[in-house]
């Protein structure tokens, strides 16, 4: 539900911003979204005794130095309609939208064994050419026996399981006999 509401606000923001200012606004909201990971901040924001204006002033103080009036107006609007809690969803929707428009994505490579950085770079370049995008991959050591590549924003997950490859080889040999 929050994501749907956030998409409406994103549409309004995009309408009044160019690509560069959109990136800066997304950065501002991602920093604000990180504040929601702080327990004390959440206690203040979710406290019914704290007025809408006080909540708005707390957030406005954080973004005042940026000089973006439309960000300040959006925060006031969110506070007025009791929607401050959608800021993390709004930050995520903005991040995904910027990745989609700029065609620059981040992904993760999972494996139980170490993979050379050159191989990871080649995987990213290969996937990038396949999807007409720039894909940066990061390696994460995991329990997965094989290799799994996950680019969440593109909806791509590719995996090569050692056990599956072994099973297919055995099946192929049996068919040949």
């Amino acid at each position: 539900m929050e994501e749907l509401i956030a998409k409406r606000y994103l549409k309004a923001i995009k309408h009044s911003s160019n690509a560069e200012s959109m990136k800066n606004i997304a950065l501002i909201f991602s920093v604000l979204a990180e504040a929601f990971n702080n327990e004390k901040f959440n206690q203040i924001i979710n406290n019914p005794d704290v007025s809408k204006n006080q909540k708005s002033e707390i957030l406005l103080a954080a973004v005042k130095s940026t000089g973006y009036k439309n960000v300040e107006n959006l925060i006031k609007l969110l506070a007025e309609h009791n929607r401050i809690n959608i800021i993390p969803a709004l930050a995520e929707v903005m991040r995904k939208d910027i990745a989609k428009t700029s065609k620059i994505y981040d992904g993760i490579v999972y494996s139980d064994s170490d993979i050379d950085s050159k191989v990871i770079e080649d995987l990213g370049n290969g996937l990038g050419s396949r999807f007409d995008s720039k894909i940066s991959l990061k390696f994460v050591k995991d329990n997965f026996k094989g290799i799994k590549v996950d680019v969440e924003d593109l909806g791509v997950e590719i995996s090569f399981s050692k056990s599956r490859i072994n099973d297919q080889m055995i099946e192929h040999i049996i068919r040949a006999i």
Side-chain angles (χ1 to χ4, degrees):
M1 181 70 172
E2 286 181 348
E3 188 176 335
L4 293 174
I5 296 169
K7 284 182 179 180
R8 286 185 153 177
Y9 285 106
L10 172 67
K11 187 176 180 182
I13 294 167
K14 282 179 68 172
H15 184 70
S16 65
S17 303
N18 61 25
E20 188 62 36
S21 65
M22 189 66 194
K23 287 180 183 178
N24 292 334
I25 292 170
L27 181 61
I28 293 167
F29 275 95
S30 69
V31 170
L32 286 176
E34 287 178 23
F36 283 84
N37 295 330
N38 185 316
E39 188 177 329
K40 289 182 181 180
F41 178 80
N42 279 327
Q43 287 174 348
I44 294 169
I45 293 297
N46 295 324
N47 189 338
D49 295 332
V50 178
S51 72
K52 293 177 186 179
N53 287 338
Q54 290 171 323
K55 293 174 184 179
S56 175
E57 289 302 317
I58 291 169
L59 293 171
L60 287 173
V63 300
K64 190 102 175 142
S65 65
T66 63
Y68 281 97
K69 288 292 182 197
N70 53 354
V71 171
E72 292 176 16
N73 292 337
L74 179 58
I75 289 173
K76 289 176 186 175
L77 186 67
L78 291 173
E80 184 180 316
H81 293 289
N82 290 323
R83 291 187 170 164
I84 288 176
N85 288 328
I86 72 159
I87 288 176
L90 184 58
E92 182 63 17
V93 166
M94 285 182 182
R95 185 193 64 75
K96 286 181 180 179
D97 184 70
I98 289 171
K100 184 178 177 182
T101 55
S102 64
K103 293 187 174 188
I104 298 173
Y105 301 96
D106 293 323
I108 301 173
V109 177
Y110 300 98
S111 181
D112 63 340
S113 56
D114 292 328
I115 300 175
D116 186 37
S117 61
K118 177 70 174 142
V119 173
I120 292 173
E121 185 180 324
D122 289 344
L123 275 171
N125 291 337
L127 279 173
S129 64
R130 172 88 168 113
F131 291 100
D132 189 30
S133 303
K134 182 179 183 326
I135 299 175
S136 300
L137 296 175
K138 183 177 82 173
F139 176 72
V140 173
K141 194 152 182 127
D142 194 61
N143 297 2
F144 188 75
K145 302 233 184 280
I147 298 174
K148 181 166 85 171
V149 180
D150 185 18
V151 184
E152 185 178 331
D153 292 344
L154 266 176
V156 174
E157 183 178 306
I158 303 167
S159 63
F160 304 99
S161 169
K162 290 178 184 176
S163 62
R164 183 169 174 221
I165 291 172
N166 287 340
D167 291 345
Q168 288 176 343
M169 285 175 52
I170 292 170
E171 186 177 311
H172 181 71
I173 292 171
I174 290 173
R175 284 186 192 162
I177 296 177

